[in-house]
């Protein structure tokens, strides 16, 4: 049995590789950014070959950097940006079109047609999702409709579809394994999460040939092997990034929740074997269970979380580095009544408005850049509050605390404000790479590095616990202002 697990964390803006030991310490990490393409307003694309090459590069880099012997690597686990859609030629292994990224809004009209055809409620009850351009199904249709001959070749099984996990596993196994896992399948809007099968009615509605779809597997099993420096290593774990983070945070029991602060924010509550149908704008999704068992979760997605700080940095040029936001936000006692709603690509849960757009309201002659920077920081916490509020209403389960991870969770100002606005403790772990840690955990369980989830729980360690420190009156006043600002952003773009 090898000593280490190699986790491949394929994210929205970069590919990373992290080596963990049996005590879940990070032995080494490597990261490489890749190109984002914006062909038109609201469109986001990536080059699948660059995704793959960047992932292979960091995989080799972290091994070289740490000096870990490949014979000591027990397994590879994969976690990935979800919903991003890739179609490729089975014979050549080349993509037939760029990857359409989860953030892309180009298929909004296809979604509108599905709703007009009366499929909205069917989508909710069967796939657990809401009709939205966010998910993979409409992206598949868009590519098949526009690439000449693609639909016919897909029907013959000559063009394959996959989310990023499928694409990486297919490439890493030399085309031997065309698979996906339950968590990624549950994000496509064409998968029946009750019966755990591709849904024929949705495939028909979107005119997607079933022959192009991957086999759906559990999150913790050996899918195939990849050749790494002369040795065949099992690929034994796979989960979409947010479900992987829930697993990495050891949220194994019903009611346990985590929030990942990345490009977007993704808040998941484990609901165990029970599926809750949300009445408050959340989605029901499959999450990773122990030894590959299927468990369910409620999820709320914030499209623009940490990305609002990048916007403040790159487009507005208010700061030179993302970490500066914490410093400037603390320079003023409040936002001076300013609210920033970062609905740059519409609003996700619980509003689901594809036509919402960003706005800054409450500006006066006395407004300074520090106020706007602080409003950007606070917008991340407000959006997360809306998700927690919806989850508690749907399940009747009050959150005792919120586990956090992701890049922006290092921001002490943001984490304290999050605790204040939730009136709940926020727990930040020692290992904040929860997404990669979840993938490693799933792979390690599959090959026997760890014997069960109880062993993983004992390894989880809290770094900082943020306790709420805001009176109820002030909190309620801030939230009233936030929801008023949200109202100004809704249904803004021309249909």
């Amino acid at each position: 049995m090898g000593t280490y697990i190699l986790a491949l964390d394929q994210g929205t803006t970069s590919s990373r590789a992290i080596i963990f030991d049996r005590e879940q310490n990070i032995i080494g990490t490597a990261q490489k950014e890749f190109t984002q393409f914006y062909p038109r307003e609201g469109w986001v694309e990536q080059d699948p070959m660059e995704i793959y090459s960047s992932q292979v590069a960091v995989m080799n880099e972290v091994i070289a950097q740490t000096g870990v012997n490949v014979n000591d690597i027990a397994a590879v686990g994969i976690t990935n940006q979800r919903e991003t859609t890739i179609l490729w030629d089975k014979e050549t292994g080349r993509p037939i079109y760029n990857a359409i990224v989860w953030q892309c809004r180009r298929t909004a009209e296809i979604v509108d047609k599905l709703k007009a055809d009366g499929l909205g409620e069917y989508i909710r009850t069967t796939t657990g999702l809401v009709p939205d351009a966010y998910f993979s199904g409409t992206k598949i249709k868009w590519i098949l409709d526009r690439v000449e001959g693609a639909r016919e070749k897909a029907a013959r099984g000559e063009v394959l579809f996959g989310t990023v996990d499928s694409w990486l596993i297919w490439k890493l196994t030399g085309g031997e394994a065309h698979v996906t896992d339950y968590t990624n399948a549950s994000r496509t809007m064409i998968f029946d999460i009750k019966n755990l099968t591709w849904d024929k009615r949705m495939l028909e509605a979107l005119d997607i040939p079933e022959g192009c779809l991957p086999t759906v597997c559990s999150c913790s099993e050996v899918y195939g092997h990849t050749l790494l420096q002369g040795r065949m290593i099992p690929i034994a774990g796979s989960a979409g990034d947010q479900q992987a983070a829930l697993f990495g945070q050891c949220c194994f029991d019903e009611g346990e929740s985590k929030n990942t602060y990345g490009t977007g924010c993704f808040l998941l509550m484990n609901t165990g074997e029970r599926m809750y149908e949300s009445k408050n704008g959340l989605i029901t999704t499959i999450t990773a269970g122990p030894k590959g068992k299927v468990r369910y979760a409620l999820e709320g997605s914030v499209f623009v979380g940490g990305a609002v700080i990048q916007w403040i940095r790159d487009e507005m040029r208010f700061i030179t580095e993302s970490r500066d936001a914490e410093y400037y936000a603390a320079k003023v006692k409040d936002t001076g009544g300013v609210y920033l709603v970062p609905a740059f690509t519409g609003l996700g849960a619980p509003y689901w408005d594809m036509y919402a757009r960003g706005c800054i309201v409450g500006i006066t002659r006395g407004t300074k850049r520090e106020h706007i920077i602080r409003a950007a920081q606070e917008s991340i916490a407000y959006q997360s509050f809306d998700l927690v509020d919806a989850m508690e209403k749907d399940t009747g389960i009050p959150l005792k605390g919120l586990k956090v991870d992701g890049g922006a969770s290092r921001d002490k100002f943001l984490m304290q404000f999050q605790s204040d606005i939730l009136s709940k403790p926020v727990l930040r772990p020692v290992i904040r790479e929860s997404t990669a840690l979840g993938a490693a955990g799933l792979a390690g369980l599959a090959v026997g590095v760890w014997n069960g989830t109880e062993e993983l729980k004992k390894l989880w360690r809290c770094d900082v616990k943020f306790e709420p420190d805001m009176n109820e009156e002030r909190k309620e006043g801030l939230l009233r202002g936030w929801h008023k600002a949200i109202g100004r952003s809704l249904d803004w773009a021309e249909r």
Side-chain angles (χ1 to χ4, degrees):
M1 174 60 64
T3 314
Y4 304 107
I5 298 287
L6 173 59
L8 307 184
D9 185 355
Q10 204 299 298
T12 304
T13 58
S14 68
S15 295
R16 297 196 301 159
I18 301 178
I19 295 177
F20 294 94
D21 66 13
R22 282 184 179 173
E23 284 68 50
Q24 297 195 337
N25 298 307
I26 293 175
I27 303 303
T29 181
Q31 180 170 351
K32 184 177 176 61
E33 292 190 359
F34 55 88
T35 313
Q36 311 290 313
F37 301 100
Y38 306 98
R40 296 187 195 174
E41 184 182 352
W43 290 29
V44 191
E45 295 179 1
Q46 294 163 357
D47 178 356
M49 295 305 294
E50 189 181 2
I51 291 174
Y52 171 64
S53 64
S54 64
Q55 193 65 76
V56 170
V58 293
M59 184 167 63
N60 285 296
E61 182 184 337
V62 76
I63 292 169
Q65 177 194 103
T66 58
V68 165
N69 190 316
V70 291
N71 293 314
D72 292 328
I73 297 175
V76 173
I78 293 176
T79 183
N80 59 286
Q81 54 168 314
R82 303 171 304 170
E83 299 94 19
T84 294
T85 299
I86 302 171
L87 273 72
W88 67 92
D89 187 297
K90 184 179 180 180
E91 184 178 345
T92 66
R94 303 287 302 182
I96 66 169
Y97 190 82
N98 270 348
I100 300 182
V101 180
W102 60 273
Q103 299 158 311
C104 187
R105 312 308 294 169
R106 77 182 66 190
T107 62
E109 288 184 7
I110 301 174
V111 174
D112 288 340
K113 175 132 190 347
L114 291 174
K115 291 192 281 192
D117 290 343
L119 281 166
E121 189 57 28
Y122 181 81
I123 289 169
R124 287 184 184 88
T125 56
T126 305
T127 72
L129 309 177
V130 297
D132 195 86
Y134 177 24
F135 305 110
S136 310
T138 56
K139 296 174 168 65
I140 303 171
K141 175 177 170 55
W142 192 95
I143 294 173
L144 292 176
D145 283 346
R146 282 161 178 80
V147 175
E148 188 176 351
R151 191 175 296 285
E152 294 74 23
K153 290 184 74 174
R156 296 194 298 268
E158 296 169 9
V159 166
L160 304 180
F161 152 71
T163 40
V164 173
D165 61 308
S166 279
W167 168 244
L168 289 179
I169 293 171
W170 193 86
K171 294 291 282 184
L172 289 169
T173 61
E176 288 186 9
H178 182 215
V179 299
T180 190
D181 70 90
Y182 286 125
T183 67
N184 278 293
S186 73
R187 312 296 299 185
T188 59
M189 213 167 73
I190 54 174
F191 188 73
D192 183 334
I193 63 170
K194 295 174 187 171
N195 296 312
L196 306 180
T197 57
W198 296 113
D199 185 72
K200 293 189 183 301
R201 185 173 175 187
M202 287 307 300
L203 295 180
E204 184 180 342
L206 292 168
D207 198 12
I208 296 172
E210 194 164 356
C212 73
L213 304 178
T215 301
V216 186
C217 303
S218 73
C219 296
S220 185
E221 64 176 90
V222 176
Y223 313 110
H225 293 74
T226 188
L227 184 64
L228 192 57
Q229 297 183 7
R231 178 169 177 261
M232 297 300 283
I233 298 176
I235 302 174
S238 175
D241 52 11
Q242 302 315 317
Q243 287 96 331
L246 191 71
F247 197 84
Q249 287 274 33
C250 295
C251 295
F252 303 137
D253 299 325
E254 185 176 346
E256 292 187 319
S257 304
K258 71 89 201 172
N259 196 15
T260 296
Y261 298 80
T263 303
C265 288
F266 300 90
L267 202 150
L268 276 75
M269 174 194 280
N270 190 330
T271 62
E273 296 181 12
R274 179 172 176 181
M275 289 174 53
Y276 285 89
E277 192 176 321
S278 178
K279 306 296 182 188
N280 294 284
L282 302 176
I283 58 178
T284 307
T285 195
I286 295 176
T287 192
K291 291 284 187 183
K293 292 179 182 177
V294 169
R295 294 288 185 267
Y296 294 94
L298 275 177
E299 176 175 337
S301 307
V302 169
F303 293 159
V304 178
V308 72
I309 305 303
Q310 294 172 334
W311 178 74
I312 285 286
R313 180 194 68 194
D314 299 338
E315 273 70 46
M316 302 307 290
R317 300 188 181 183
F318 284 170
I319 55 178
T320 54
E321 294 186 50
S322 295
R323 63 178 180 223
D324 295 340
E326 180 180 1
Y327 170 79
Y328 286 108
K331 295 285 279 183
V332 287
K333 63 181 176 64
D334 54 35
T335 67
V338 173
Y339 289 88
L340 191 161
V341 181
F344 303 147
T345 56
L347 283 171
Y351 304 100
W352 293 109
D353 186 343
M354 295 183 288
Y355 301 97
R357 289 298 179 265
C359 66
I360 304 175
V361 297
I363 295 173
T364 66
R365 181 64 183 82
T367 298
K368 301 186 291 187
R369 71 167 176 165
E370 287 85 355
H371 292 126
I372 297 174
I373 293 167
R374 181 166 176 143
Q377 291 270 74
E378 292 185 0
S379 75
I380 302 171
Y382 286 132
Q383 290 178 98
S384 299
F385 169 88
D386 287 340
L387 302 182
V388 171
D389 186 51
M391 280 180 185
E392 291 184 333
K393 287 174 180 172
D394 277 334
T395 63
I397 303 171
L399 263 69
K400 294 178 182 175
L402 183 66
K403 290 182 175 179
V404 298
D405 54 63
S409 69
R410 72 177 186 277
D411 189 316
K412 291 178 183 176
F413 168 83
L414 173 59
M415 292 300 99
Q416 184 58 55
F417 188 78
Q418 185 71 84
S419 177
D420 289 343
I421 213 70
L422 286 174
S423 298
K424 300 178 191 297
V426 165
L427 292 86
R428 190 174 69 192
V430 171
I431 303 293
R432 295 203 288 277
E433 304 293 350
S434 300
T435 305
L437 187 60
L442 291 164
L445 287 174
V447 298
V449 171
W450 298 291
N451 294 318
T453 53
E454 287 305 312
E455 191 175 349
L456 296 178
K457 268 188 174 180
K458 289 174 184 174
L459 295 170
W460 190 91
R461 304 184 301 279
C462 182
D463 176 32
V464 181
K465 185 177 184 181
F466 298 89
E467 297 280 3
D469 185 27
M470 182 183 289
N471 68 59
E472 195 68 16
E473 185 180 356
R474 180 165 181 241
K475 169 190 158 180
E476 292 302 323
L478 289 172
L479 287 169
R480 276 195 303 275
W482 166 251
H483 292 125
K484 196 173 177 183
I486 283 280
R488 300 295 193 267
S489 76
L490 297 174
D491 197 29
W492 184 267
E494 294 293 331
R495 292 175 185 262

